[in-house]
């Protein structure tokens, strides 16, 4: 080895009860093992066939080992307004109208701590990569506040620079006090891309261009955003066809369905994904399938707001790329990724019959599906050459007792569990159920203090 080069670090996980690869053959390896060097997976197979030593060895006896879960839609700042009385009931537009005045008092410190809170909850529930859609920037708040939190806690992060530019006085839904000028939005988005975006394989941080929704930004901003994103080669994200009012707004304002409007603005393609699409019509489904446009399915939020049941089974059968998202912590007061997997499976069965989705299909949406939606080929599977993002679930919990006939399905059918270990980019960020990168007691106390301050400021 040439002088002054650091030694590579190796990590071996072995003796897994089941190792779920999500490889092309969808192998599930009994007594499985995975060998990682630095931030990359080097070998996967039976424990007897892999190296027997490494710099660190984790015994995965009685554990399911699988790829880290991928969260494709979130609003992390909303963890400050979980179950807030003003927004416990009501559909999307009513819910937003009640919350905008509260969110208008956000501060940079609030965005930072709420991001840490949401990221910790995700990581403990099996998530290793998450997108976050921050679209409100009062009082000096910046996307940088969330990015700093991601770098501190160690999650792989797609930071979406959201925006709102059409306030109530111009026919939009948000109050004028929380919208921005469009030139300023585009300028800041460009700054963030040039400052932070990493296009390389195994990137820990990518920037996404993400106007909030058709009812809060102009057609011009949608089009200019797509041009900006494609100039820099970054992804695009927004909300679309979330509920019946969303459809009515699109028809009234644009004389188009949401899918037609998205296409007219240049918002289809493999570099685009839309959140929800609960009310996406058949024409829209086939447009998305043909163009490679992705969807973030958020079952818990859709249920909480009464938005409906997204036809995910039909979308998958048509060839649409679908990932899962926990959505914001004020419309899904949990950010538990494995819980979202369970809910996705159950909701499709309610909507389309008991065979509409299997446990493994739901897990595949949360891994391979999420990777495809985020336009990545380096996460979502335990295969040599992929990023070293691995999670371990301990089967010795009481919630799994009697369910070991099929440990993989048990992860989805049984009580949603937290991880025993999480490895992100080759780094152990959760060890024996405890986050290793931040002191969660301090984060929790700070979060509760600022959540109370935020609620009181609006009253």
């Amino acid at each position: 080895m040439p002088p002054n080069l650091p030694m590579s670090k190796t990590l071996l996980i072995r003796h897994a009860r089941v190792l779920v690869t999500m490889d092309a053959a969808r192998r599930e390896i009994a007594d499985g093992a995975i060998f990682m060097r630095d931030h990359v997976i080097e070998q996967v197979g039976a424990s007897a066939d892999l190296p027997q030593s490494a710099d660190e060895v984790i015994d995965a006896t009685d554990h399911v080992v699988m790829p880290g879960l991928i969260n494709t839609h979130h609003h992390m700042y909303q963890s400050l307004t979980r179950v807030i009385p003003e927004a416990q009931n009501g559909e999307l537009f009513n819910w937003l109208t009640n919350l905008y005045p509260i969110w208008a008092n956000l501060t940079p410190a609030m965005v930072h701590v709420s991001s840490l809170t949401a990221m910790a909850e995700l990581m403990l529930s099996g998530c290793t990569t998450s997108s976050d859609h921050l679209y409100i920037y009062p009082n000096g708040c910046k996307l940088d506040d969330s990015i700093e939190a991601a770098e501190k806690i160690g999650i792989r992060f797609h930071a979406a620079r959201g925006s709102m530019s059409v306030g109530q006085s111009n026919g939009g839904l948000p109050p004028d006090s929380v919208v921005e000028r469009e030139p300023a939005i585009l300028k800041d988005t460009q700054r963030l891309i040039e400052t932070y975006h990493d296009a390389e394989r195994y990137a820990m941080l990518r920037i996404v261009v993400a106007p909030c929704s058709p009812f809060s930004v102009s057609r011009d901003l949608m089009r200019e955003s797509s041009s900006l994103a494609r100039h820099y080669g970054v992804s695009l994200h927004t909300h679309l066809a979330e509920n019946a009012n969303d459809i009515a707004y699109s028809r009234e304002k644009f004389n188009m369905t949401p899918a037609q409007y998205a296409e007219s603005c240049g918002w289809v393609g493999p570099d685009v994904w839309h959140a929800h699409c609960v009310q996406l019509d058949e024409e829209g489904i086939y447009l998305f399938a043909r163009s490679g446009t992705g969807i973030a399915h958020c079952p818990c939020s859709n249920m909480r707001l009464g938005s409906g049941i997204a036809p995910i089974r039909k979308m998958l059968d048509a060839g649409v790329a679908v990932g899962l998202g926990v959505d914001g912590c004020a419309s899904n007061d949990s950010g538990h990724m494995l819980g979202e997997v369970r809910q996705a499976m159950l909701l499709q069965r309610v909507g389309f019959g008991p065979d509409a989705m299997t446990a493994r299909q739901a897990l595949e949406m949360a891994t391979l599906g999420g990777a495809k939606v985020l336009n990545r080929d380096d996460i979502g599977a335990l295969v040599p050459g992929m990023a070293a993002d691995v999670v371990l679930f301990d089967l010795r919990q009481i919630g799994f007792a009697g369910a070991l006939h099929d440990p993989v399905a048990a992860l989805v059918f049984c009580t949603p569990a937290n991880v025993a270990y999480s490895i992100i980019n080759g780094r152990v960020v959760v060890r024996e159920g405890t986050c290793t990168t931040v002191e969660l007691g301090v984060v929790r106390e700070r979060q509760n203090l600022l959540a109370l301050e935020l609620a009181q400021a609006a009253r």
Side-chain angles (χ1 to χ4, degrees), residues 14-323:
R14 62 183 179 182
H15 299 312
R17 173 71 174 263
V18 182
L19 189 145
V20 180
T21 66
M22 289 293 173
D23 65 8
R26 303 298 189 268
R27 288 184 303 156
E28 295 177 2
I29 304 171
D31 191 18
I34 179 168
F35 184 85
M36 293 159 274
R37 189 179 302 276
D38 294 329
H39 59 276
V40 180
I41 296 170
E42 200 166 275
Q43 298 181 56
V44 177
S47 294
D49 298 334
L50 264 64
Q52 299 301 299
S53 64
D55 294 321
E56 180 173 0
V57 178
I58 296 174
D59 182 0
T61 301
D62 295 321
H63 290 69
V64 173
V65 178
M66 65 176 295
L69 305 180
I70 298 166
N71 178 37
T72 61
H73 186 63
H74 209 335
H75 307 293
M76 293 181 177
Y77 75 90
Q78 292 181 12
S79 63
L80 291 159
T81 51
R82 300 189 212 243
V83 299
I84 202 156
E86 294 89 338
Q88 289 181 13
N89 306 302
E91 58 78 43
L92 174 66
F93 282 21
N94 173 266
W95 174 86
L96 282 169
T97 301
N98 285 324
L99 282 166
Y100 282 138
I102 299 173
W103 296 336
N105 295 295
L106 283 168
T107 65
M110 291 175 182
V111 171
H112 181 79
V113 75
S114 60
S115 298
L116 281 176
T117 297
M119 291 167 183
E121 186 176 13
L122 284 168
M123 285 167 47
L124 289 168
S125 69
C127 179
T128 54
T129 298
S130 183
S131 173
D132 183 49
H133 191 187
L134 181 61
Y135 56 80
I136 187 167
Y137 295 91
N139 309 311
C141 294
K142 295 180 179 179
L143 191 58
D144 309 61
D145 304 319
S146 297
I147 290 170
E148 290 168 8
E151 291 173 339
K152 181 175 184 178
I153 204 167
I155 198 168
R156 199 179 297 275
F157 195 45
H158 284 232
R161 206 301 182 181
S163 55
M164 298 189 295
S165 64
V166 178
Q168 289 174 347
S169 64
N170 290 313
L173 190 68
D176 292 349
S177 62
V178 297
V179 301
E180 300 175 88
R181 293 177 58 253
E182 293 185 354
I185 291 168
L186 293 166
K187 183 178 180 181
D188 189 54
T189 304
Q190 180 178 343
R191 173 190 70 83
L192 289 160
I193 296 169
E194 292 178 348
T195 303
Y196 294 110
H197 183 72
D198 183 357
E200 296 298 316
R201 206 155 190 265
Y202 313 121
M204 288 293 289
L205 176 61
R206 288 187 177 165
I207 302 298
V208 180
V209 180
C212 184
S213 64
F215 51 82
S216 59
V217 300
S218 72
R219 189 189 302 238
D220 284 345
L221 184 62
M222 291 290 284
R223 288 173 171 165
E224 290 185 45
S225 294
S226 66
S227 296
L228 177 68
R230 284 170 178 136
H231 173 75
Y232 282 97
V234 304
S235 292
L236 290 152
H237 181 53
T238 192
H239 298 86
L240 198 77
E242 185 169 351
N243 74 356
N245 285 336
D246 201 341
I247 303 296
Y249 184 94
S250 185
R251 288 195 178 278
E252 178 186 342
K253 296 292 183 181
F254 312 121
N255 195 30
M256 297 179 182
T257 67
Q260 289 168 341
Y261 178 68
E263 185 179 28
S264 76
C265 295
W267 276 71
V268 294
D271 56 348
V272 180
W273 86 100
H274 296 276
H276 303 298
C277 295
V278 175
Q279 305 292 339
L280 194 67
D281 60 9
E282 194 159 303
E283 177 188 337
I285 290 173
Y286 289 107
L287 168 65
F288 281 25
R290 290 193 310 272
S291 60
T293 307
I295 290 172
H297 176 43
C298 307
C300 287
S301 173
N302 297 159
M303 294 171 71
R304 188 194 193 278
L305 297 176
S307 299
I309 302 174
I312 299 302
R313 181 70 271 158
K314 180 181 286 188
M315 294 174 179
L316 292 171
D317 291 344
V320 178
V322 181

